[in-house]
Every structure is written in C-alpha cells, then in structure tokens.
Amino acid sequence: MGKFGCYELSFPITLTYPDGSVSEELNSYEELKQVLRRWRQENDRPRVRPVITLPFSVITEDGDLITVETTQDLRVLKMECRRMFFENNGPNGHD
C-alpha cells in the first residue's frame, strides 16, 4: 500500500466519504476495491476522494504495527516511506 509500497493496511478499516458519511467496516483489500469502485461509479469525476478513517493501523516491511492517529502521523509515515525507498533505489526506482 502507498506510493512506494512500504506498508500494508491492518484490517478492519472504515472510509470517510467527502460528504462526511462513513462506510461500513472493510475487512480486506478486495472489499476496499469494491467499495471504492462502486463509489467512483456513483460520483462522476470526483474532486475529493474518500479517506481512511483515523485512527487506523499499518504493518511495516519489518512487521511492526504502527497506529496512525492523526494526519500529521500519516504525513510522517509517508515521508519516511519515501526516504527509505530512495535510499534503496535510484531516482528512477532502480537499484
């Protein structure tokens, strides 16, 4: 999951839609894809997408469980993932 694939979601999760409503509990990537696909079909060319409802947990490549409680936590997680990716790969994503 994520742009550079540094972590996996720990299910279950819920989504918050742009209108403020919340999805049902999702228990797998397949359920997540189905819900997002259905939402996209119902909302032609949306400017704002659903987001994972905070707090949620992710599993790192090392198997550590990290709880994301705030948007700041999510920013830090994304920055760390980006840093680790480019430390291990060249600018074009190659070793």
Side-chain angles (χ1 to χ4, degrees):
M1 171 116 198
K3 186 173 184 177
F4 302 109
C6 297
Y7 54 88
E8 295 288 327
L9 284 173
S10 176
F11 289 94
I13 63 165
T14 57
L15 296 178
T16 300
Y17 297 109
D19 66 0
S21 63
V22 177
S23 74
E24 66 276 5
E25 191 173 272
L26 305 173
N27 293 302
S28 68
Y29 282 110
E30 187 59 37
E31 286 181 23
L32 177 60
K33 287 192 297 189
Q34 290 173 359
V35 166
L36 290 174
R37 189 174 295 128
R38 185 175 58 237
W39 182 82
R40 270 189 243 122
Q41 289 172 348
E42 295 170 0
N43 296 278
D44 189 37
R45 296 186 179 213
R47 289 185 183 186
V48 181
R49 299 179 192 169
V51 295
I52 299 172
T53 305
L54 296 171
F56 66 92
S57 296
V58 296
I59 302 168
T60 66
E61 291 177 321
D62 298 331
D64 297 329
L65 186 67
I66 298 174
T67 301
V68 179
E69 296 183 8
T70 66
T71 54
Q72 179 61 28
D73 291 345
L74 185 57
R75 271 189 227 110
V76 169
L77 187 66
K78 287 179 179 180
M79 287 177 10
E80 180 67 19
C81 180
R82 185 178 300 125
R83 184 187 62 76
M84 287 181 348
F85 179 82
F86 284 113
E87 281 180 359
N88 297 322
N89 297 282
N92 294 321
H94 302 286
D95 289 340

